[in-house]
């Protein structure tokens, strides 16, 4: 098992920083587009063999140091009797029953746990499970934040039981908020989830857009790592985050549209600025854009892999 990612999460010394990418299994990959030509997105999410195969695509193609479960933060609506639909351009829409109530997460999302169990039989890198931050999920599904939080805790505990090695919380829409609103709408719920997971000792990464503006609140939470967008230089962020907390990120995804020589020099600049720092994981500030050449993504990852 390649443990670089878990070592970095625990701020242990590593010979090079680990690298993985948000949305590493996506439309920029020809193998993914080929699967999407014969299967809908929901079919891919709902069929454990297919979801596991998609999860593995970037491992074979790029050699990244971690796998992220292929699913979506919005499938949790199914635990409330809701259904998820993807319209043209993959825009998600959640349909909820008239009075949604939380049902058995173990049963309604059984296919997710089955996908995890399948993957764990063969993976040689850690598997990242995830869910959305309640505030972000509520932007798509009209459910009370407390109910989403309750469901998320149960959902993540079951992902852990099925075998995920780490968890990432995606609170993308937090970036729309100011520090006060973040404290009011996001951090209490994130905190409840983090506290409920603490006894499992599974490391948790929190991704918020605008995280660099919420360090006061994020610094109080029992998290293992913060995933940053590209708003500020990583080296500066490292100094603002407690040394026991790892940092992940944070190159601008649009970098992947530039020439490979430029991608390489920006990755090297990031690596040099973080040289000697423990607890650093290379990633983007947000997901891989769907329209970038695979060769550019490979150049990004290869530059990190070659850096020891
Ligand atoms: O990182 C990964 O590849 C793991 C799988 C994953 C997906 N969605 C698959 C997906 C993860 C971690 C997500 C998170 C997610 N989903 C977020 C939070 C992070 C973020 O990107 O902001 C949000 C807000 C959603 C809801 C959602 N799902 C949106 C807004 C969209 C459409 C826009 C888009 O990004 O494409 C989706 C569709 C979706 N979820 C796709 C994938 C691979 C795109 C469909 C495709 O590529 O065929």
């Amino acid at each position: 098992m390649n443990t670089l990612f878990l070592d970095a999460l625990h701020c242990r010394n590593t010979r090079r920083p680990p690298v993985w990418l948000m949305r590493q299994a996506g439309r920029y990959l020809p193998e993914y587009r080929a699967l999407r030509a014969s299967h809908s997105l929901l079919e891919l999410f709902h069929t454990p063999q297919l979801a596991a195969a998609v999860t593995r695509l970037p491992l074979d193609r790029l050699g990244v140091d971690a796998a992220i479960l292929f699913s979506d933060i919005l499938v949790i609506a199914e635990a409330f009797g809701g259904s998820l639909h993807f319209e043209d351009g993959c825009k998600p829409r959640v349909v909820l029953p008239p009075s949604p109530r939380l049902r058995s997460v173990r049963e309604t999302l059984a296919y997710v746990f089955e996908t995890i169990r399948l993957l764990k039989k063969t993976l040689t890198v850690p598997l990242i499970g995830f869910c959305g931050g309640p505030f972000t999920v509520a932007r798509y599904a009209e459910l009370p934040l407390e109910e989403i939080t309750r469901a998320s805790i149960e959902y993540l505990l079951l992902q852990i039981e099925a075998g995920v090695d780490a968890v990432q919380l995606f609170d993308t829409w937090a970036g729309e908020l100011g520090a006060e609103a973040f404290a009011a709408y996001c951090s209490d719920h994130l905190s409840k989830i983090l506290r409920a997971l603490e006894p499992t000792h599974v490391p948790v990464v929190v991704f918020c857009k605008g995280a660099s503006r919420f360090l006061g609140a994020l610094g109080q939470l029992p998290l293992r790592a913060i995933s940053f967008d590209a708003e500020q230089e990583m080296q500066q962020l490292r100094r603002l985050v407690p040394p026991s907390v790892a940092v992940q990120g944070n190159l601008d995804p649009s970098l992947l549209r530039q020439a490979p020589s430029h991608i390489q020099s920006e990755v090297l600049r990031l690596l040099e600025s973080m040289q000697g720092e423990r607890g650093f994981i290379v990633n983007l500030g947000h997901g891989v854009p769907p329209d970038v050449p695979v060769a550019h993504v490979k150049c990004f990852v290869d530059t990190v892999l070659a850096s020891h």
Side-chain angles (χ1 to χ4, degrees):
M1 169 89 145
N2 166 349
T3 62
L4 277 179
F5 175 63
L6 297 174
D7 289 341
L9 281 175
H10 288 286
C11 297
R12 293 180 200 123
N13 249 331
T14 54
R15 64 195 151 80
R16 64 165 172 83
V19 56
W20 70 277
L21 303 171
M22 291 185 267
R23 283 295 163 86
Q24 62 190 14
R27 273 168 285 173
Y28 78 97
L29 281 177
E31 305 89 307
Y32 178 82
R33 289 197 302 271
L35 276 167
R36 285 283 280 110
S38 45
H39 302 281
S40 70
L41 194 51
L42 281 178
E43 245 181 290
L44 294 184
F45 290 148
H46 285 158
T47 316
Q49 283 77 6
L50 289 173
V54 176
T55 302
R56 283 193 208 97
L57 292 177
L59 307 177
D60 300 337
R61 180 62 102 130
L62 303 171
V64 283
D65 297 304
I68 181 158
L69 176 70
F70 187 76
S71 182
D72 193 84
I73 62 167
L74 301 179
V75 300
I76 200 161
E78 295 171 356
F80 292 89
S83 59
L84 181 55
H85 306 268
F86 288 93
E87 316 198 312
D88 290 348
C90 300
K91 217 173 144 256
R93 186 168 56 90
V94 170
V95 178
L96 291 167
S99 18
R101 52 163 191 87
L102 184 58
R103 304 156 194 219
S104 163
V105 177
R106 193 185 284 279
E107 281 165 32
T108 52
L109 295 170
Y111 63 90
V112 174
F113 313 125
E114 180 57 23
T115 305
I116 295 169
R117 281 190 292 267
L118 275 178
L119 280 164
K120 285 303 291 176
K121 286 185 190 159
T122 55
L123 279 187
T124 56
V125 294
L127 177 62
I128 306 168
F130 67 86
C131 77
F135 179 72
T136 294
V137 173
R139 293 303 287 256
Y140 300 91
E142 251 184 79
L143 293 162
L145 290 172
E146 292 71 21
E147 287 294 295
I148 301 172
T149 302
R150 198 155 70 88
S152 302
I153 290 170
E154 213 178 316
Y155 185 37
L156 290 174
L157 288 172
L158 288 165
Q159 290 186 33
I160 291 168
E161 183 188 288
V164 299
D165 301 286
V167 162
Q168 182 155 320
L169 306 180
F170 288 87
D171 218 352
T172 313
W173 283 91
E176 303 284 295
L177 302 175
E180 256 175 56
F182 180 79
Y185 298 113
C186 295
S187 54
D188 277 0
H189 303 291
L190 293 175
S191 172
K192 273 196 196 118
I193 296 173
L194 290 162
R195 278 189 277 120
L197 300 190
E198 259 187 316
T200 68
H201 300 291
V202 167
V204 186
V205 183
V206 174
F207 167 80
C208 298
K209 280 220 122 179
S212 57
R213 290 180 271 124
F214 310 131
L215 283 177
L218 287 173
Q220 311 288 311
L221 302 179
L223 44 76
R224 192 89 296 291
I226 302 173
S227 195
F228 286 101
D229 64 24
E231 275 179 20
Q232 269 195 53
E233 294 279 324
M234 201 47 134
Q235 192 189 15
Q236 276 167 311
L237 292 165
R238 176 67 279 182
R239 282 195 222 102
L240 300 172
V241 171
S244 58
V245 171
V247 293
Q248 176 173 281
N250 75 338
L251 291 172
D252 190 327
S254 64
L255 171 65
L256 297 173
R257 298 206 173 88
Q258 309 281 316
S261 58
H262 184 66
I263 295 171
Q264 187 183 28
S265 65
E266 283 300 293
V267 173
L268 287 174
R269 200 170 68 81
L270 172 67
L271 293 173
E272 274 156 33
S273 76
M274 295 299 284
Q275 188 121 47
E277 300 281 4
R278 291 181 192 201
F280 170 48
I281 298 145
V282 181
N283 205 312
L284 295 167
H286 202 174
V288 178
D291 58 350
V292 297
V294 189
H296 292 196
V297 184
K298 185 142 174 46
C299 168
F300 183 104
V301 173
D302 280 347
T303 307
V304 185
L305 300 185
S307 69
H308 54 286

